Amino acid sequence: MAITSANQLELLQTAEAVAREKMIDPALVVEAMEESLARAAKSRYGSEMDIQVSIDRKTGRATFTRVRTVVEDEELENYQAELTVETAKPYFEAPKPNQNAVWLRDGQPLTDFSGAPQVGDQFTEEVPPVEMGRIAAQSAKQVILQKVREAERDRQFEEFKDRAGTIINGVVKREEYGNVIVDIGRGEGILRRNEKIGRESYRNGDRIRCYIKDVRRETRGPQIFLSRTAPEFMAELFKMEVPEIYDGIIEIKAVARDPGSRAKIAVISYDGSIDPVGACVGMRGSRVQAVVNELQGEKIDIIPWNEDMPTFLVNALQPAEVSKVVLDEDAERIEVVVPDEQLSLAIGRRGQNVRLASQLTGLDIDIMTEEEESARRQKEFEERTQLFMDTLDLDEFFAQLLVAEGFTTLEEVAYVEVDELLVIDGVDEDTAAELQTRAREFLDEQARKALDNARELGAEDSLIEFEGLTPQMIEVLAKDGVKTLEDFATCADWELAGGWTTVDGERVKDDGLLEPFDMSLEEAQHLVMTARVLLGWVDPTELEAEAEGEEAVEAEEEQA
């Protein structure tokens, strides 16, 4: 095929037809044609030449141009596409005789030729169009198809990337290895086997509603991942059914699902006259029933949100009744005490109720009966009583008095204000002083033994003299191989204070070396950073700047 003999407007007509069919920009198709023609021209004139093709967007005329770029002498590699300053001068000095030759500088035609050519200038010269043989035409066709496919993929990605997090309706096309391929209009989505509710099965042509969970750009084209089990799917369904949620009057704060079986959703109303639970349920349950039907009969508990976590948890454990809640914010754990007859209801079938409540609140929940809690408290009382009897040489009655007044450790007895001991029946100032003396002597003896053990284990003075660590802490560290200040400075805060990590969706406890001494994560971080500053590993001014930055951020958040 010869470009010169072809109808020039046919190129533009072809580009527009392909663009309409694929719903992409016609300019992208024209660019693909230009690239394919340039590739064919290189096969005719030589692959080392830099041949560029420009198709006039109005007339369809294709212009073939040879481009040569001016480079430094030592950078000259391709004589067909590059010129040195010296070899460019003859073309630079007399470009006028050749009307098809143009010099470009910074992409603009050059009009002043009084100087010399510069590195980066380009000498362009129009060359005759090429005859496209069968192979060249086939190659050009492949280039155009490839470009069109890439443009189509980019269009799909741009269209669907902003729709991630929304619900889309589609038609089932086919099923592959348990995964459902869904036609969603201008693209295809995949509903993986683990994203289907229960044992859902679909046939070709079935209509399906899904949540767009993720859109990824991949080499084979954009991958649109759908879900029907995501908690967000339920939240979006409620937004569609409840106008107050769509308008922002009611907000969904948290969702927990056991797909196909049961779910809990926490809502809050920003209008005191609107009941969030009632609005979500709807007249005679019409709104919630629409969501239930879409989710294959999944039972939904709608729960009022509360900023007070214990109160929110009591709501989340419905329909079970709760007698008592003890929250441990540091460990992100919560203990719930329920009446004996409510235990099975609180736990739910196969632990479903407590598991969903845990997901909803983001806390680990320990459930015990009133009888179990009473037995545990009795055991703790006996252990503390025995501690005071053994260490302070007290009789059982007196030790029980201390525990009953809230004393749990020897440190509390040793260093509490004397007035707090005098409130105990039968304790005068002399007795209180004697109690504190015995407690301090015992603690001092324990500290001395711990320090001696630590030295025997190899603990060095740099660690022993470090402020913030007790002898007992140093002994524990030395047993674990932390014997110098340098060893201590290399520790992570969670190694000292402990923490929680998520493994396979379950929270797992990491025990810290100094966790038995009630060391918090913040205290551990402060001690480690202090050690690093003393060793010169960290610049204290950087720490101060970082701390000021964090304070500024906290202040902004409080104002917001």
Side-chain angles (χ1 to χ4, degrees):
M1 179 183 75
I3 287 293
T4 52
S5 63
N7 182 357
Q8 295 174 342
L9 288 175
E10 189 178 342
L11 287 173
L12 295 181
Q13 292 169 355
T14 303
E16 290 176 0
V18 172
R20 278 197 303 271
E21 181 184 350
K22 301 296 185 180
M23 291 179 290
I24 60 177
D25 187 354
L28 294 174
V29 183
V30 175
E31 289 175 7
M33 290 179 170
E34 290 173 340
E35 184 177 329
S36 64
L37 292 173
R39 182 174 296 188
K42 284 185 179 182
S43 66
R44 167 68 176 79
Y45 289 109
S47 60
E48 293 185 348
M49 284 192 181
D50 184 3
I51 302 293
Q52 297 181 3
V53 179
S54 176
I55 297 177
D56 190 289
R57 291 338 190 235
K58 293 182 180 179
T59 65
R61 181 178 180 271
T63 303
F64 291 71
T65 306
R66 178 186 181 186
V67 181
R68 283 175 279 188
T69 305
V70 180
V71 298
E72 299 283 359
D73 292 354
E74 61 272 11
E75 295 180 0
L76 181 64
E77 294 180 354
N78 185 353
Y79 290 90
Q80 298 292 340
E82 297 172 342
L83 296 168
T84 65
V85 175
E86 287 299 321
T87 57
K89 283 181 179 179
Y91 301 98
F92 194 78
E93 293 169 355
K96 299 295 182 183
N98 187 352
Q99 297 300 319
N100 294 326
V102 178
W103 275 96
L104 300 176
R105 180 171 292 170
D106 297 329
Q108 300 298 321
L110 194 62
T111 56
D112 182 10
F113 298 94
S114 58
Q118 299 178 8
V119 173
D121 288 352
Q122 290 183 319
F123 179 62
T124 66
E125 190 175 13
E126 189 173 335
V127 295
V130 297
E131 293 276 340
M132 290 187 70
R134 182 179 60 81
I135 297 176
Q138 188 67 22
S139 175
K141 181 180 179 182
Q142 292 299 325
V143 171
I144 293 172
L145 289 175
Q146 178 64 24
K147 282 286 185 180
V148 169
R149 279 195 293 266
E150 290 176 359
E152 194 175 9
R153 289 169 180 171
D154 288 340
R155 177 194 58 75
Q156 285 183 359
F157 178 76
E158 292 299 323
E159 178 180 348
F160 286 102
K161 73 172 184 178
D162 295 329
R163 298 182 67 181
T166 63
I167 288 178
I168 193 167
N169 294 317
V171 177
V172 175
K173 289 186 69 174
R174 63 187 182 276
E175 190 166 351
E176 298 177 351
Y177 307 107
N179 302 324
V180 178
I181 308 302
V182 183
D183 183 352
I184 50 178
R186 297 182 181 177
E188 288 184 352
I190 179 170
L191 179 65
R192 289 180 169 171
R193 182 168 43 194
N194 61 337
E195 297 291 347
K196 295 191 294 185
I197 297 175
R199 298 177 181 175
E200 282 182 329
S201 61
Y202 298 97
R203 294 176 295 180
N204 292 357
D206 286 352
R207 298 197 62 81
I208 186 173
R209 181 182 287 179
C210 300
Y211 175 79
I212 301 179
K213 191 173 184 179
D214 191 16
V215 180
R216 301 177 196 166
R217 190 196 294 272
E218 296 185 3
T219 53
R220 56 181 176 172
Q223 296 295 299
I224 303 164
F225 296 97
L226 309 176
S227 175
R228 285 176 57 79
T229 62
E232 296 86 356
F233 182 45
M234 176 182 286
E236 289 297 314
L237 288 174
F238 269 103
K239 186 184 292 186
M240 295 170 65
E241 296 293 337
V242 184
E244 292 86 349
I245 296 177
Y246 183 83
D247 294 336
I249 300 172
I250 294 175
E251 181 185 356
I252 298 173
K253 300 290 287 185
V255 180
R257 291 182 65 191
D258 192 349
S261 177
R262 191 173 178 185
K264 292 178 182 286
I265 180 170
V267 292
I268 186 173
S269 172
Y270 296 110
D271 186 336
S273 62
I274 296 178
D275 172 28
V277 176
C280 291
V281 172
M283 185 71 68
R284 297 181 181 177
S286 59
R287 292 175 174 176
V288 70
Q289 192 58 45
V291 178
V292 169
N293 292 339
E294 178 63 40
L295 299 177
Q296 306 295 319
E298 191 170 315
K299 296 179 181 178
I300 303 173
D301 296 335
I302 303 173
I303 296 162
W305 168 270
N306 197 302
E307 290 185 359
D308 181 57
M309 192 56 68
T311 302
F312 178 44
L313 180 64
V314 170
N315 295 338
L317 282 172
Q318 293 177 359
E321 297 177 4
V322 177
S323 303
K324 181 180 177 183
V325 175
V326 180
L327 175 64
D328 185 350
E329 293 183 353
D330 291 336
E332 295 185 354
R333 292 182 67 84
I334 199 161
E335 290 182 354
V336 177
V337 180
V338 298
D340 294 6
E341 67 277 5
Q342 293 283 317
L343 180 62
S344 59
L345 189 61
I347 294 175
R349 183 184 179 188
R350 297 178 182 174
Q352 186 183 65
N353 193 53
V354 68
R355 183 172 66 252
L356 291 175
S358 178
Q359 292 175 15
L360 202 68
T361 59
L363 296 169
D364 281 339
I365 302 173
D366 290 334
I367 293 184
M368 62 181 70
T369 64
E370 293 176 344
E371 182 179 345
E372 290 172 339
E373 199 249 350
S374 176
R376 191 192 65 175
R377 290 178 60 185
Q378 181 62 33
K379 182 180 178 182
E380 289 177 354
F381 186 88
E382 292 173 356
E383 288 175 350
R384 290 168 184 169
T385 299
Q386 194 63 45
L387 170 69
F388 292 142
M389 290 172 61
D390 295 341
T391 57
L392 301 180
D393 192 21
L394 301 177
D395 59 31
E396 184 177 5
F397 177 74
F398 204 101
Q400 288 177 347
L401 283 178
L402 283 177
V403 177
E405 287 296 329
F407 290 95
T408 59
T409 65
L410 284 175
E411 285 78 8
E412 292 177 358
V413 176
Y415 301 109
V416 75
E417 293 292 333
V418 175
D419 292 342
E420 295 190 32
L421 289 170
L422 294 178
V423 299
I424 302 174
D425 290 340
V427 176
D428 54 21
E429 291 187 1
D430 292 339
T431 305
E434 178 63 22
L435 279 174
Q436 290 195 317
T437 299
R438 291 184 185 182
R440 290 170 184 173
E441 287 178 351
F442 185 86
L443 291 173
D444 290 343
E445 179 62 20
Q446 292 294 103
R448 185 188 63 75
K449 290 180 178 178
L451 205 55
D452 289 343
N453 290 338
R455 291 185 187 279
E456 289 180 5
L457 291 168
E460 297 184 4
D461 290 341
S462 61
L463 183 65
I464 293 172
E465 295 170 1
F466 179 62
E467 188 175 351
L469 296 177
T470 65
Q472 286 86 347
M473 292 180 184
I474 296 169
E475 181 184 15
V476 170
L477 290 171
K479 287 180 180 178
D480 201 66
V482 180
K483 301 177 182 179
T484 66
L485 191 60
E486 288 82 357
D487 294 339
F488 183 77
T490 60
C491 293
D493 48 14
W494 60 268
E495 289 181 291
L496 301 176
W500 294 84
T501 55
T502 302
V503 179
D504 297 331
E506 294 186 3
R507 288 170 56 80
V508 178
K509 182 72 176 67
D510 292 323
D511 295 327
L513 292 173
L514 304 184
E515 191 173 355
F517 302 97
D518 294 330
M519 177 168 288
S520 68
L521 206 61
E522 291 76 15
E523 291 171 335
Q525 188 177 32
H526 174 71
L527 287 174
V528 170
M529 294 308 296
T530 302
R532 292 173 182 175
V533 170
L534 289 175
L535 292 169
W537 295 0
V538 177
D539 185 352
T541 57
E542 294 180 3
L543 288 180
E544 293 174 2
E546 185 178 338
E548 291 175 358
E550 291 177 355
E551 290 176 0
V553 170
E554 290 176 0
E556 291 178 2
E557 291 177 350
E558 289 178 0
Q559 291 177 356

